[in-house]
Amino acid sequence: DYKAKLDRLNKFLNTLKSDRDTETNANIKSRIEAVIPLFESAITSKQRLIQSEEDYKNRVAAISENYKKLNTVKTQNEGRQIKGKIGPKMEELRQLDEQMAQEEQTYSRLQQQIHDLLSEIKQRAANKERILVTTLTKKMAEELSEYYMTLGV
């Protein structure tokens, strides 16, 4: 659960900050200060994942609600041709359903690619080989790096 991991990261970050403030050894203090931004970026990444997951659930709920409305309309108008305002709404619902199916396929393919890359990285690391991963954008590279750092890679 992302929210539980986010809470643990926040607690650990607060502990690090309090340790930094109370530490007298300059070497240890500088090491703590170097690690803090990594945890802050991991927290930001988790917050983005939580938000995107909530957005996805909200879209699924909205489509489900629209299907309920559609079934109610179909039941009420059984045996008659639906005209006027209902026809375009049904077409809109059909298009939303197609878009949602495409987004689910894209999301699952992306998850599979990330999982495959992780297993490949672990395999190469076990053989003490180097790994170079190329991405389309710098932001994508940063997010992928943050995600793999949270997994301990």
Side-chain angles (χ1 to χ4, degrees):
D1 183 34
Y2 291 127
K3 290 183 181 179
K5 289 180 181 178
L6 181 62
D7 289 340
R8 287 195 304 257
L9 280 172
N10 276 321
K11 286 179 186 175
F12 190 72
L13 180 61
N14 290 335
T15 305
L16 277 175
K17 286 180 178 178
S18 67
D19 288 350
R20 174 194 62 193
D21 295 338
T22 58
E23 184 60 48
T24 57
N25 185 328
N27 189 22
I28 294 174
K29 192 172 189 171
S30 67
R31 286 183 182 181
I32 291 173
E33 287 176 355
V35 172
I36 287 176
L38 296 175
F39 280 94
E40 289 172 340
S41 67
I43 288 170
T44 304
S45 175
K46 289 285 183 239
Q47 288 170 336
R48 274 192 249 125
L49 285 172
I50 290 169
Q51 184 60 43
S52 63
E53 184 178 21
E54 288 173 356
D55 291 345
Y56 179 76
K57 287 178 182 177
N58 290 340
R59 289 191 76 180
V60 169
I63 288 175
S64 175
E65 185 62 32
N66 286 334
Y67 271 123
K68 288 177 187 175
K69 290 177 184 177
L70 176 64
N71 287 334
T72 303
V73 170
K74 281 183 179 179
T75 304
Q76 291 171 351
N77 295 300
E78 205 168 301
R80 296 189 317 217
Q81 186 177 10
I82 299 174
K83 293 184 178 180
K85 295 181 180 178
I86 297 173
K89 289 290 182 188
M90 289 177 59
E91 180 62 25
E92 184 180 334
L93 285 173
R94 187 187 63 74
Q95 290 173 353
L96 280 173
D97 182 43
E98 288 176 2
Q99 288 174 354
M100 193 65 191
Q102 289 174 350
E103 286 179 10
E104 286 178 7
Q105 288 175 350
T106 302
Y107 186 72
S108 64
R109 283 195 306 257
L110 180 61
Q111 282 182 323
Q112 186 61 41
Q113 287 177 355
I114 291 173
H115 177 72
D116 291 344
L117 178 61
L118 178 63
S119 63
E120 188 69 26
I121 289 171
K122 287 182 178 179
Q123 207 174 33
R124 299 288 181 176
N127 295 335
K128 299 195 188 283
E129 296 177 1
R130 297 175 126 194
I131 298 114
L132 174 65
V133 178
T134 58
T135 59
L136 294 176
T137 64
K138 183 178 178 182
K139 182 178 179 182
M140 188 186 303
E142 290 169 351
E143 289 177 355
L144 194 60
S145 295
E146 288 175 15
Y147 176 68
Y148 284 145
M149 280 195 303
T150 60
L151 295 177
V153 176

